[in-house]
Amino acid sequence: MTMRKNLSVMGIANLITFLFSFASVLFVSRMLSPTEIGVFSVSVAVLGLAHILREFGVSNYLVQAAEVSKTQFRAAFSVTLFTSWFIAIILYFGRYPMAEFYQHQGVADILILLAFNFIILPFGAPLLSMMRRDLQFNKLALGMVIPTIVQAVVTVYCAWSGESYLSMAWGAVASHLSRIVLLNVLRPGETYILPTTKGLGEVLRFGSISSLTSIIKELGTSAPDLILGRSLGFTEVAILSRAAGLQKMLIDRFITLVRGVHFPTFAKQVRAGGDGAKLYAVTMNYMVSVTAPLLAVLAIISEPLIVWMFGEQWTRAAGIATMLCGFSILTTPYALYQPSLTAVGKVSLVLKSELFIQSIKITVLLLSFWIALEQVVALMVIVFAAEAVLCQRALHKGFGLTFKGLLKEVQPSFILIPCSVIGPLAVIYLAHLFSWSEQRFLILAASCLLATLGWLAGIYSTNHVMKPEVINILTKLSQKLMNRRVDQSR
């Protein structure tokens, strides 16, 4: 399968999972209070480090290794088994101290449920890694869609049944269990093996650096929930979570999609003699052409979008979402810096960069003990700016990619931002001018339509590298529509 076809397959899978996840969030946001959602968010943040340690870098090891023998696979399985079961034990005995720390029994209830995922994880995680290594994207897509549907259905049903914050935990358990069953159906018999100590050294050497990097990154990811849950309370955590949700539901999903295909493909191209700097810059031109304009549009329509999706109780999250989306534009050229450097063994550069980035982020978040949430978020611009500088420095050391070289490549994509936002800006202005602010669906529909038309106009007028891709997609869509009309006429 070509990279384009791989992206198409995973793109469809991501779209389906997004729709079900999005629908689940809509229903749950209306059935549960911000405090109930905040309790679950804090509990999941507590598990952040546990999820990194559970496989100790086994996933990346299996994907990037020159070859994977039966001994190596068994060693990788053993590392996952030892670490995940150890974490399950820690969660079992540590649930009450964590609940006492956050002064809510719900934290303990959620942790004991989610600990079950760590018990069954070893019987699926190595299989998932081997599918990635073998580029079995059809199976990977199936492994995404079915568990997501299961999670959405179980979560909504439990919330409707009055399970409160536990509804999302039950959904996560059901999703993980269905994924384990599915993976063993798709690749039967591979994990029915006994653990071993043979060959652990190679896995542990790679995993120690990879895991340390992931732990540092996860600390930064979980820091808002962990710190704000103690300093400002569960409600503020939920407000920030909903504000950041716009970016996570759209931008992060798109990046995850591309990263899943980019990681093994980039490694193969560099091994074949490709120029890492050029390959990265060209890839990011495509990436930024989508992510930067989309972030800019989300920053503009955050208020009607959040209120329409989640309800009036989340209005306060809109201003925070605007800031976060705006700040994130600074880092769009570096969305794939970590998998690109990891794919060629430059994990130490990623480790150093993440150490500084997350240290700055945690320092800013600790200010929440003295200042309000909105002020903390405003200061996050420092974090995003530092991240851009540090990622650029790592890419320069790893591939010799200069800022000037990267900017020259991605500059055409940044030009698409004004083309995309002029329409939504006009809609928002007219809505306030004529007091149409309550017509949120119409505002969103008009904004999205004009943003898309503006983006396409920018693509065509600047002769952007995305132009052939857009033409190809539109051509295929028109052909399918014509074929359907012919079939109907018969």
Side-chain angles (χ1 to χ4, degrees), residues 54 59 149 201-202 216 258 282 340 443:
R54 65 185 183 179
S59 177
I149 295 174
E202 183 180 350
I216 293 171
V258 177
V282 170
S340 298
I443 292 173

Side-chain angles (χ1 to χ4, degrees), residues 138-156:
N138 286 328
K139 293 181 179 180
L140 287 170
L142 195 62
M144 288 176 56
V145 171
I146 292 180
T148 300
I149 295 174
V150 171
Q151 181 170 10
V153 171
V154 172
T155 298
V156 172

Side-chain angles (χ1 to χ4, degrees), residues 2 170 183 218:
T2 64
W170 282 117
L183 291 174
E218 183 59 33

Side-chain angles (χ1 to χ4, degrees), residues 313-334:
Q313 61 180 331
W314 300 98
T315 303
R316 186 176 157 215
I320 297 174
T322 296
M323 287 190 284
L324 291 176
C325 289
F327 298 160
S328 296
I329 295 175
L330 294 172
T331 58
T332 51
Y334 306 104

Side-chain angles (χ1 to χ4, degrees), residues 427-441:
V427 171
I428 297 296
Y429 174 76
L430 292 174
H432 284 291
L433 183 64
F434 295 102
S435 301
W436 296 338
S437 299
E438 296 301 317
Q439 305 297 322
R440 294 188 178 91
F441 178 78

